[in-house]
Amino acid sequence: MTTPAPALSSASGATAADPADSPLAAAYDTAGALVPGLRITEEAPRHGGGWLRTDRLAGDRAVLERFLAEERERTRRAYGAPGRPDVAAGLALHRCAWPAASLFTLPWFLLRRVPRIAAADVSFHPGRGRVTVRPGLRFHCLPDDPAAALPGALPVSGEAALRDAVRAAAAGYLSPLLEAFRPRLRRGRRALWGLATDELAGSLWYFGRLLGREREAVAAAERLLPGVTAPYTGRAGFRELTAPDGTSHGVTRDRVTCCLFYTLRPEETCSTCPRTCDTQRIEQLNRIR
């Protein structure tokens, strides 16, 4: 897939669209330009033909079971075995929750705008890397944003209130997904919201690195998820990765939860896994370089 490159600026990574245009388009176009496997467009949600509407996935047991069966088959093809049911369910949840987190974090980070997105507003096509978001949604913004004059704008008092809006909007969207997946994941509520914390923090870090703005994205994630923002559990968890001799190896983070990928490939433990020590993380970085 190819998508047209968005208007980029060295200062912000995306240029806010003219208020007459979609207030979110610049951020979503940036996602597609940076990650060809994630194309986000503002269209009516759809279901069928490979498309899944999030509310149907969360609310229809048959739809969820089909999605989980497809994930087990993908896992079998990739790793030679379908994996444990809870592990496959975790991979399936990540497949839809990570792009969903980006729907909130990327517009906030780039444009200081936070869409109010419900599960019924989104559909995704895992095979094509496509996501649709219902157009014309209401959104939070700062009072001095040019888009604050648009009919759907919900101006807030300042940056702290905008962070509250990110957390609340993302929680409203993710909550039915987490509840639907919970019996398959065999995890409690606290662990589930740790997963949500990881998706939000991880999406900010990932796009920050692609934009050449890693430190700024890390700082934003730390402000967004300081560890005391229910229902989210844990904190963004970023820190400097330092060798015993004091050499810095850049930024790392400690995930709140383990994705259990090690049960499929023990030799490929994630570099941000709470099970992975710093020595292993540095070894992994050295292999990549």
Side-chain angles (χ1 to χ4, degrees), residues 246-269:
T247 302
S248 173
H249 290 266
V251 175
T252 190
R253 72 174 293 258
D254 298 312
R255 287 176 54 92
V256 181
T257 60
C258 174
C259 69
L260 306 178
F261 182 74
Y262 74 91
T263 64
L264 295 168
R265 288 279 179 86
E267 71 279 7
E268 295 181 19
T269 306

Side-chain angles (χ1 to χ4, degrees), residues 22-235:
S22 163
L24 307 171
Y28 294 154
D29 287 350
T30 296
L34 294 172
V35 185
L38 177 62
R39 183 185 172 198
I40 303 170
T41 55
E42 293 180 84
E43 304 175 46
R46 61 192 76 174
H47 192 81
W51 287 93
L52 289 167
R53 235 174 60 182
T54 305
D55 60 331
R56 294 285 299 276
L57 181 62
D60 188 324
R61 181 174 178 177
V63 172
L64 177 60
E65 290 299 338
R66 283 196 299 271
F67 184 57
L68 293 175
E70 291 166 0
E71 186 62 42
R72 288 193 293 271
E73 177 57 23
R74 277 191 290 265
T75 303
R76 186 195 64 76
R77 291 196 304 267
Y79 307 112
R84 288 173 11 196
D86 58 324
V87 176
L91 295 174
L93 177 59
H94 175 68
R95 190 177 295 279
C96 54
W98 186 88
S102 304
L103 299 178
F104 301 96
T105 57
L106 199 56
W108 170 65
F109 181 62
L110 295 179
L111 305 174
R112 288 298 185 262
R113 296 170 188 168
V114 182
R116 294 301 301 263
I117 303 174
D121 297 323
V122 174
S123 60
F124 63 100
H125 194 301
R128 297 179 186 171
R130 290 281 313 278
V131 179
T132 70
V133 183
R134 191 186 305 277
L137 295 175
R138 304 188 81 186
F139 64 97
H140 297 281
C141 63
L142 297 172
D144 58 353
D145 187 327
L150 292 176
L154 299 167
V156 296
S157 59
E159 292 286 359
L162 200 61
R163 290 193 294 274
D164 288 340
V166 177
R167 290 187 290 263
Y173 177 91
L174 291 171
S175 183
L177 267 180
L178 297 178
E179 284 302 309
F181 274 83
R182 183 163 61 91
R184 281 79 178 177
L185 293 171
R186 300 192 303 180
R187 301 193 190 195
R189 178 179 172 80
R190 181 174 179 82
L192 287 175
W193 284 102
L195 288 169
T197 301
D198 287 329
E199 300 293 10
L200 292 175
S203 67
L204 277 167
W205 190 24
Y206 183 73
F207 281 108
R209 284 186 292 182
L210 292 179
L211 289 162
R213 299 169 59 188
E214 180 180 34
R215 296 288 178 173
E216 184 183 350
V218 165
E222 292 283 10
R223 291 191 296 270
L224 181 68
L225 299 161
V228 289
T229 49
Y232 302 97
T233 53
R235 50 187 290 272

